[in-house]
Amino acid sequence: MSIILKDLTYIHPDRELLFQNINLNVNNGNKIGLVGNNGAGKSTLLQIISGVLQPTMGEVIVSSDPYYIPQHFGQFNEKTVAQALGIDVKLKALQAIIGGDASLENFTVLDDDWDIEEKALAALDYWGLHNIDLYQRLDELSGGEKTKVFLTGIKLHNPEIVLLDEPTNHLDWDSRQQLYKFVEAYNGTFIIVSHDRVLLNRLNLTCELGQNGIEVFGGNYDFYKEQKEGKLDALKAQQDEKEKALRKANKIAREAIERKQKQDSKGAKKKEKEGVARIMMNTIRNRAEQSGAKLKDVHADKIEKLRTELTQIRGDLSVTQELQLGFGNSQLHTGKILVSAREINFRYASENLWQKPFDFVISSGDKIVVRGENGSGKTTLIKLILGVIPPSEGSLERAEFKSLYLDQEYSIIDNNLTVFEQVQKFNTRKLLEHEVKTLLHRFLFPSDTWNKPCSKLSGGEKMKLIFCSLIVDNNTPDMIILDEPTNNLDIQSLEIVTSAIKGYKGTLLVVSHDQYFIDEIGVDSVLELSKKSI
């Protein structure tokens, strides 16, 4: 075995239970995708396996020290690249020896690793970090560059066990493709927390983490999804069966009580005709009432049991079933030219962003993905299309159309409002309060979140709330622009967002490196950007 988890439980310092009874055996060479809803504890579980956190209860057994790459790197900002890679002490010893300090301590630290600097630079070069200095601080690097620095450590140290937490969040298209191939080819054990379904499909096992355990699926993400859909079908069948049983039980209970009441009434009238004493009649009535109460209790127990089972099934369905909602249609006729650009470029200071000017046309109904490496000008292009800035050269003509831009900062959300207030702000249709709350439930916002300030929401929760607000508004824009909409979303939230927009008939412009998402929403053309040429 490579990793063994025994009865793991983790309770937050505020005594809130995160998960319990986690048992898992990971064999050498397994490549596992770890999925689960936001807040299920996926990142915490990786930290426990890596030794960063200790479980509240249970045991972790690993065959060697795991190499762990976290989702966020803020804690490393003060470190140099060499320190982040764990080679700074060796480099210092090497420089000391080269400088004439031939102490035993320096030779012991170096441990005959004379080409450590060359290996590190070669590994950085492999990940496209040609201009990164080993003594450069991490706070000078972009999110994608930081990710690739830590990926460099895998190639440099060749660990047996690798733990990755959302490794593709900051990677551009080419870097994602490189990571996919690297993971497939690497001869080691991986546990990867990710919402990148292309990456998850390259792995041979999928594990779903929940509060009460972990479920292992013997295949990649597509296999996992197929199994989950089978479970959904089974739950729907169970729901139908329990609803029928509940209706039948209610009917039988009513009929039995009605029969008993008729029998008791007939019996009482007969006794009165026979001249039975009043005291005896009271006794008979009391016995009849007690008998009727027992009959009610028998049926009530059965009905309550069915109701409890049905509530449980409906609860399971609510967290399993994919949301089937969509926007309305744009009022513009298909094919109307919305934006036409000829020989455009944009200049920062005295330098053009793109080496060559370029042309493009966006028509009503187009579904376009904007793709390019980090720094290739994707956000600038969006601002040009929206008319926020003019091109430095060339011409760009815009027709009149309603647009909606969902940026990575979720600026459409008012952080001063609560969840419910945010949705009500968009309630131009004057939906009734219970209708708004029903929609919130369907977007996985239960009642205990309605008074939560939007400032306390995660990025994934904010994205879901935006789509819920837009469904409530129902004032369909002619063009929707999405800037990396799948970042920070768990799998279930991804499916909600995908379902909400894939039926949209207006113009869609998406900045995304998530190929699975791009395929699902039906993109029909690509606008490729490059810092060197277009």
Side-chain angles (χ1 to χ4, degrees):
M1 290 292 179
S2 186
I3 302 170
I4 300 174
L5 309 181
K6 291 184 177 180
D7 298 320
L8 284 191
T9 293
Y10 186 80
I11 301 173
H12 286 298
D14 62 3
R15 298 191 176 183
E16 181 184 357
L17 174 69
L18 184 61
F19 52 68
Q20 61 184 351
N21 302 323
I22 304 299
N23 291 282
L24 182 66
N25 293 332
V26 181
N27 293 320
N28 289 322
N30 278 162
K31 294 175 181 177
I32 293 175
L34 182 60
V35 300
N37 295 339
N38 282 343
K42 302 183 294 293
S43 296
T44 300
L45 184 58
L46 286 194
Q47 291 178 54
I48 290 173
I49 297 171
S50 69
V52 173
L53 283 178
Q54 292 300 311
T56 306
M57 288 182 283
E59 185 180 9
V60 178
I61 302 170
V62 292
S63 58
S64 64
D65 290 337
Y67 184 86
Y68 167 55
I69 302 181
Q71 183 176 353
H72 306 290
F73 305 108
Q75 68 270 35
F76 301 105
N77 278 342
E78 302 297 320
K79 294 183 179 293
T80 65
V81 171
Q83 287 173 324
L85 291 174
I87 61 172
D88 54 306
V89 178
K90 280 192 175 185
L91 287 175
K92 186 177 179 181
L94 177 62
Q95 294 302 322
I97 293 170
I98 292 173
D101 183 357
S103 67
L104 177 61
E105 182 182 354
N106 284 331
F107 279 95
T108 301
V109 168
L110 186 59
D111 193 26
D112 285 335
D113 203 353
W114 295 97
D115 58 348
I116 181 63
E117 186 170 3
E118 288 78 8
K119 287 191 299 185
L121 291 173
L124 287 169
D125 190 65
Y126 173 85
W127 289 105
L129 301 176
H130 316 291
N131 301 316
I132 299 295
D133 189 285
L134 287 170
Y135 301 98
Q136 189 171 353
R137 280 170 42 128
L138 259 68
D139 59 3
E140 299 172 4
L141 306 181
S142 69
E145 288 171 331
K146 289 175 184 176
T147 299
K148 288 191 275 189
V149 164
F150 284 93
L151 290 173
T152 293
I154 304 175
K155 197 163 182 65
L156 189 60
H157 299 297
N158 292 309
E160 178 189 324
I161 300 170
V162 180
L163 310 175
L164 305 179
D165 194 353
E166 297 289 1
T168 62
N169 259 5
H170 302 288
L171 297 183
D172 58 29
W173 173 263
D174 290 337
S175 299
R176 287 188 181 210
Q177 305 309 309
Q178 188 176 13
L179 177 63
Y180 301 153
K181 293 175 183 175
F182 180 80
V183 169
E184 279 189 310
Y186 191 79
N187 186 25
T189 303
F190 277 91
I191 299 182
I192 303 177
V193 171
S194 181
H195 65 270
D196 183 336
R197 291 161 292 182
V198 175
L199 174 57
L200 293 174
N201 269 335
R202 305 292 181 103
L203 311 178
N204 62 348
L205 289 172
T206 304
C207 292
E208 184 180 55
L209 179 63
Q211 189 179 61
N212 296 315
I214 194 165
E215 186 174 359
V216 180
F217 295 81
N220 63 8
Y221 172 76
D222 281 346
F223 177 83
Y224 158 78
K225 188 175 181 181
E226 183 181 326
Q227 296 297 304
K228 292 290 285 185
E229 286 171 353
K231 180 180 178 182
L232 176 61
D233 291 340
L235 283 171
K236 286 178 180 175
Q238 286 180 41
Q239 179 178 245
D240 291 343
E241 181 185 329
K242 294 298 179 185
E243 285 174 345
K244 288 177 184 176
L246 183 58
R247 287 194 296 270
K248 184 177 179 181
N250 279 319
K251 182 182 178 184
I252 291 171
R254 285 195 306 270
E255 291 173 347
I257 291 168
E258 287 170 2
R259 282 197 303 270
K260 183 72 171 62
Q261 288 173 341
K262 286 178 182 178
Q263 288 171 357
D264 291 343
S265 177
K266 284 181 181 179
K269 287 177 181 177
K270 184 179 179 182
K271 295 295 183 186
E272 285 177 1
K273 285 181 181 180
E274 293 173 353
V276 176
R278 182 176 295 177
I279 190 169
M280 182 59 71
M281 286 296 298
N282 287 336
T283 302
I284 291 170
R285 286 193 190 96
N286 288 337
R287 286 175 180 171
E289 287 173 0
Q290 290 171 3
S291 176
K294 287 179 181 178
L295 182 62
K296 283 182 180 179
D297 288 343
V298 169
H299 287 286
D301 287 345
K302 184 176 182 180
I303 289 169
E304 183 58 33
K305 183 174 183 293
L306 284 169
R307 281 179 178 158
T308 301
E309 291 171 350
L310 187 55
T311 300
Q312 178 63 48
I313 291 168
R314 284 173 176 163
D316 291 341
L317 270 172
S318 70
V319 298
T320 306
Q321 195 163 20
E322 183 177 335
L323 185 67
Q324 298 298 327
L325 285 178
F327 293 112
N329 295 335
S330 165
Q331 299 303 308
L332 299 179
H333 67 81
T334 301
K336 177 181 178 179
I337 294 177
L338 304 182
V339 182
S340 177
R342 288 182 57 80
E343 296 292 308
I344 68 163
N345 211 325
F346 190 80
R347 188 177 300 113
Y348 285 101
S350 59
E351 185 177 349
N352 280 338
L353 178 57
W354 303 297
Q355 186 176 359
K356 296 178 182 178
F358 67 106
D359 307 338
F360 65 86
V361 173
I362 300 176
S363 300
S364 179
D366 286 350
K367 287 184 169 55
I368 302 169
V369 62
V370 179
R371 186 180 291 157
E373 58 186 307
N374 294 333
S376 62
K378 297 185 291 292
T379 301
T380 299
L381 180 65
I382 289 172
K383 290 179 179 179
L384 288 166
I385 291 169
L386 291 174
V388 176
I389 56 175
S392 301
E393 59 183 69
S395 64
L396 188 147
E397 297 179 3
R398 299 177 71 253
E400 286 295 323
F401 60 89
K402 294 183 297 182
S403 62
L404 175 70
Y405 176 35
L406 302 184
D407 58 30
Q408 294 188 53
E409 304 303 318
Y410 313 106
S411 55
I412 197 172
I413 294 284
D414 186 341
N415 285 323
N416 295 315
L417 300 179
T418 65
V419 168
F420 183 73
E421 290 169 343
Q422 169 68 31
V423 176
Q424 281 288 46
K425 180 181 175 181
F426 281 78
N427 190 10
T428 56
R429 291 189 287 162
K430 306 297 182 185
L431 294 178
L432 298 176
E433 184 174 319
H434 78 273
E435 294 175 306
V436 174
K437 289 178 176 178
T438 297
L439 275 170
L440 280 167
H441 263 299
R442 296 181 71 185
F443 275 88
L444 305 184
F445 287 101
S447 57
D448 59 1
T449 66
W450 296 341
N451 291 322
K452 187 176 182 179
C454 291
S455 59
K456 301 293 186 183
L457 299 179
S458 68
E461 288 172 324
K462 285 184 176 180
M463 180 59 78
K464 286 190 294 182
L465 188 59
I466 286 171
F467 279 96
C468 184
S469 298
L470 295 176
I471 295 294
V472 168
D473 183 26
N474 202 36
N475 186 12
T476 307
D478 302 311
M479 179 188 293
I480 297 177
I481 300 175
L482 306 173
D483 193 354
E484 296 290 0
T486 64
N487 276 3
N488 306 312
L489 296 181
D490 59 26
I491 295 293
Q492 188 179 18
S493 301
L494 265 174
E495 291 180 347
I496 287 174
V497 170
T498 302
S499 177
I501 67 172
K502 66 183 178 183
Y504 170 63
K505 301 302 181 184
T507 306
L508 195 62
L509 195 67
V510 182
V511 177
S512 179
H513 302 295
D514 188 332
Q515 187 60 49
Y516 200 104
F517 174 73
I518 290 167
D519 291 340
E520 279 200 311
I521 63 176
V523 164
D524 49 39
S525 61
V526 178
L527 187 54
E528 191 84 40
L529 301 182
S530 169
K531 286 184 285 189
K532 295 182 180 179
S533 62
I534 294 179

